[in-house]
Amino acid sequence: MHEIETNLGARPGLQKEPGFVKFCRGALGWLVLAVLAALVLANFYTTAYFKLEGVDAPHEKIFFRPDLWPVAIGAACLAAVWAALFQAKENRNSARIWWRVLLVLGLLGAAWLAVSGVEPRADALTMSEIAQRWIQGDYSDFDTGEYLFCYPYQLGYGLLLEGVYRLFGAGNFQIVEWLNLACILASFWMLGAFARMLLPQDSEGGGLTAVVAAGAVCAVFYTTFVYGNVPGMTLAFAGLYFQLRWQRGGKAGWMLLSGVCTAFSIWMKTFGLIFLLAQIILLILHAARQRRLGLLAWVLVLLVCWQGLDKGAEAWMSRRIGHAMNEGGPMVLTIAMGMQMPEEDTMAEGWFNAYNQDTYRTADYDGELASERGRQAIAERLEEFRDDPQMALEFYKNKTLSQWAEPTYESLWLSFPMDSVWQDEPLTAFQEAVYQGGLNVLLEGWMNLYQSLVWLWAAIYVAARRKELEMTQLAPGLVILGGFLFQLLWEGKSQYTLVYFLMAIPYASGGLAITSQWVKGLLGGRRPRRPKTGGASTPPPSAPGQRRVRTESAYR
């Protein structure tokens, strides 16, 4: 195994990578590549979409149409030629590029907030109203059968809304939307930080990541979604980023920040658990790599932060409302729901169909009885799958495509004014253009092309660098892998997969760089040399008088 020179504080004299770690790194690399390749094929095969007009709009119904994959291939080739020219220019300032990209995305998000006129609805409206009732001292939503009795895991976001409303006025959801915009921009900044840390050479120091991220307009439209998705995503990114800072030679304080951010992420949205699991896997392999069992104490820190925040907030809220909070409907009911067909003319396979809340209610809110019914439903559904494998394959194919081949990630559907359907109210000229007219065609067409390119480039990067990727460089792939498996089992919705899609952007920038190198080779240009570590940065020479430590790479 080759050695690198570093002054980042890594311990010298590390031994060769244990066989267990090497095997896990290789196996995880193959699994990540398999998922990325499957997502490329899925997005080349079809496009999932919503009809934002007529009776289909309110029902969140998914439709499918063939994808124009030759267009994506052609666009990838043109982008590779452009990237070859981009890389050829000297003195590229990636920080300047990032600030420009963030400025453009920020202006786009601000313009959307200013002109869209979107207001909370469905669960977002429910949580907004609940937070306002808390300010008035009304905690009836915790009573038997009420919203927070069934879904107590919404407590974290409810408290966030209450805090905002106390500061800026009850029901002032516009402040929450501007907070969403700030969170989205922070999330993009961290994508650049991931690239600079994990693959600086392949991403041109993060500059190409900024260019690739500039196309993710689907995320910008989430500014109006007054729900836990956006702050949960930002906190999840931060938790993973701080841990990677520590693993790559940082101080212990980074891990403490990681535990806090990850805990708050889970508090906002369930997908934070996928990041937590990825972080635990990285910690275990890092401890095995270093042959220091004491490092596993950081796993306990992550778990204590998570459970401490969760149980502490629950106990505090229980005292506030005068009785213990209910545990909510059993998770097994959501898994059972994720295996069921949707109601007629609604949604898609495995999406929400009210099974979990109806079963919990008919069990008279008896968690044990509801769990037993959920397990029975799962067993019956598995038997159906076993008796008809073709049906099972079709079910999970459609469930997967409806989540991972839907390029808007529900960003437009979530903001669509349903009153235009329910109350037969006309859309404004701007709304008609965005949701049903020419601008909608352009937006959805771009999002579809962009989605295909990101997955294609990400797969190319992992395929080209798989044998050389260090363990920390597999972190984004671990999150994507975990999200893919989780969404197979859990309630399906394309809005849940946005966070994993954005995690692929650093890989995508590396894939774009690799294809640009291929273009240079075809044109007879000299390919730039890259480090054997698959893009891990080599620190600059030490300052005069500073002792340089020569050590085996500690970052796998």
Side-chain angles (χ1 to χ4, degrees):
M1 182 175 298
H2 78 286
E3 297 179 339
I4 65 171
E5 293 180 338
T6 178
N7 58 5
L8 290 177
R11 297 197 324 144
L14 294 177
Q15 301 177 11
K16 185 178 180 181
E17 182 179 54
F20 168 74
V21 177
K22 185 176 181 180
F23 170 79
C24 290
R25 184 164 52 85
L28 289 172
W30 275 114
L31 289 173
V32 170
L33 178 58
V35 168
L36 292 175
L39 292 175
V40 172
L41 294 176
N43 282 274
F44 280 8
Y45 169 71
T46 192
T47 297
Y49 67 99
F50 299 96
K51 290 182 179 179
L52 297 180
E53 57 186 352
V55 295
D56 292 316
H59 297 298
E60 209 170 354
K61 183 172 175 58
I62 283 282
F63 297 86
F64 297 101
R65 59 173 173 245
D67 205 307
L68 300 176
W69 61 265
V71 176
I73 296 295
C77 293
L78 291 175
V81 173
W82 172 86
L85 299 175
F86 176 89
Q87 291 175 309
K89 295 183 178 181
E90 298 179 355
N91 300 322
R92 276 290 179 186
N93 189 326
S94 62
R96 186 180 304 164
I97 296 170
W98 261 111
W99 283 117
R100 290 173 179 174
V101 168
L102 291 177
L103 176 61
V104 171
L105 292 174
L107 290 175
L108 179 61
W112 176 241
L113 289 178
V115 303
S116 64
V118 176
E119 297 185 2
R121 58 179 170 84
D123 288 79
L125 177 60
T126 299
M127 288 305 304
S128 180
E129 293 172 342
I130 286 174
Q132 295 175 64
R133 286 194 285 270
W134 289 355
I135 295 175
Q136 300 168 359
D138 180 358
Y139 304 108
S140 59
D141 294 284
F142 290 98
D143 294 345
T144 301
E146 298 298 328
Y147 189 82
L148 290 177
F149 181 88
C150 299
Y151 304 112
Y153 49 79
Q154 297 282 23
L155 173 64
Y157 191 65
L159 290 174
L160 174 63
L161 287 178
E162 182 189 10
V164 172
Y165 289 169
R166 285 186 181 276
L167 288 173
F168 299 99
N172 192 352
F173 64 87
Q174 290 88 352
I175 296 297
V176 182
E177 294 177 339
W178 286 101
L179 178 63
N180 278 345
L181 178 57
C183 287
I184 289 169
L185 295 179
S187 298
F188 278 114
W189 182 88
M190 277 182 281
L191 292 177
F194 284 131
R196 289 190 297 272
M197 182 194 307
L198 301 179
L199 49 146
Q201 277 75 18
D202 283 330
S203 66
E204 292 294 294
L208 274 181
T209 307
V211 175
V212 175
V217 294
C218 52
V220 175
F221 284 99
Y222 265 79
T223 52
T224 58
F225 191 35
V226 183
Y227 213 47
N229 297 48
V230 172
M233 174 179 70
T234 306
L235 290 164
F237 284 6
L240 180 60
Y241 170 72
F242 291 140
Q243 177 172 321
L244 294 178
R245 283 289 300 266
W246 171 77
Q247 282 194 229
R248 296 177 72 84
K251 296 182 179 180
W254 293 119
M255 273 305 300
L256 295 177
L257 281 173
S258 174
V260 171
C261 289
T262 301
F264 274 98
S265 169
I266 299 169
W267 211 36
M268 292 290 113
K269 206 64 182 172
T270 311
F271 58 62
L273 288 170
I274 303 302
F275 284 78
L276 175 64
L277 180 59
Q279 290 174 237
I280 290 175
I281 292 173
L282 288 172
L283 281 173
I284 292 173
L285 294 176
H286 182 65
R289 165 70 177 156
Q290 301 276 356
R291 291 183 169 88
R292 295 172 61 192
L293 291 179
L295 294 177
L296 293 178
W298 288 113
V299 175
L300 182 61
V301 169
L302 290 178
L303 296 176
V304 167
C305 286
W306 165 37
Q307 286 297 295
L309 175 64
D310 186 60
K311 301 303 181 185
E314 181 180 326
W316 174 77
M317 197 67 188
S318 295
R319 288 195 299 270
R320 184 178 173 185
I321 65 179
H323 60 83
M325 286 180 57
N326 184 49
E327 294 182 355
M331 294 178 64
V332 68
L333 296 180
T334 305
I335 297 175
M337 183 177 67
M339 302 173 68
Q340 296 175 0
M341 294 295 293
E343 297 177 5
E344 187 176 1
D345 294 324
T346 64
M347 302 190 175
E349 285 82 343
W351 286 41
F352 183 82
N353 64 6
Y355 167 82
N356 52 356
Q357 64 185 35
D358 289 345
T359 303
Y360 191 39
R361 176 177 49 80
T362 56
D364 199 22
Y365 304 109
D366 183 328
E368 185 175 346
L369 177 59
S371 295
E372 177 59 31
R373 292 179 179 178
R375 288 191 291 269
Q376 182 179 357
I378 291 173
E380 292 174 354
R381 190 62 169 155
L382 287 174
E383 186 174 353
E384 292 176 6
F385 288 157
R386 184 194 62 190
D387 294 340
D388 192 347
Q390 184 62 35
M391 180 268 289
L393 180 62
E394 185 72 14
F395 176 89
Y396 282 105
K397 183 192 78 171
N398 289 340
K399 183 178 181 180
T400 300
L401 293 175
S402 66
Q403 297 180 92
W404 297 91
E406 196 280 285
T408 71
Y409 297 94
E410 297 192 82
S411 59
L412 295 178
W413 186 89
L414 289 167
S415 62
F416 181 70
M418 294 302 176
D419 288 345
S420 64
V421 177
W422 292 330
Q423 301 175 15
D424 197 26
E425 295 183 357
L427 297 173
T428 66
F430 173 74
Q431 289 174 333
E432 185 174 359
V434 170
Y435 297 114
Q436 299 172 355
L439 188 54
N440 177 267
V441 174
L442 291 176
L443 284 171
E444 292 197 359
W446 166 249
M447 292 180 191
N448 184 37
L449 175 62
Y450 176 75
Q451 181 188 55
S452 297
L453 291 177
V454 167
W455 290 126
L456 175 63
W457 286 330
I460 288 174
Y461 178 76
V462 175
R465 300 285 192 262
R466 184 190 56 79
K467 293 182 180 180
E468 307 161 358
L469 290 178
E470 297 176 354
M471 201 63 235
T472 52
Q473 292 173 305
L474 278 173
L478 273 178
V479 172
I480 296 169
L481 173 63
F484 183 84
L485 297 176
F486 180 69
Q487 289 306 131
L488 278 178
L489 297 175
W490 202 246
E491 170 196 354
K493 277 197 176 182
S494 56
Q495 64 174 271
Y496 300 152
T497 60
L498 173 66
V499 61
Y500 311 119
F501 172 69
L502 294 181
M503 282 299 294
I505 287 178
Y507 283 169
S509 66
L512 175 57
I514 289 172
T515 56
S516 72
Q517 293 174 16
W518 294 343
V519 169
K520 288 182 179 180
L522 292 174
L523 297 178
R526 182 178 178 181
R527 293 188 182 183
R529 295 181 62 186
R530 61 178 175 83
K532 294 181 180 179
T533 55
S537 60
T538 301
S542 303
Q546 182 178 358
R547 177 174 169 270
R548 298 184 70 176
V549 179
R550 185 173 179 84
T551 178
E552 190 177 52
S553 176
Y555 306 139
R556 290 189 184 274

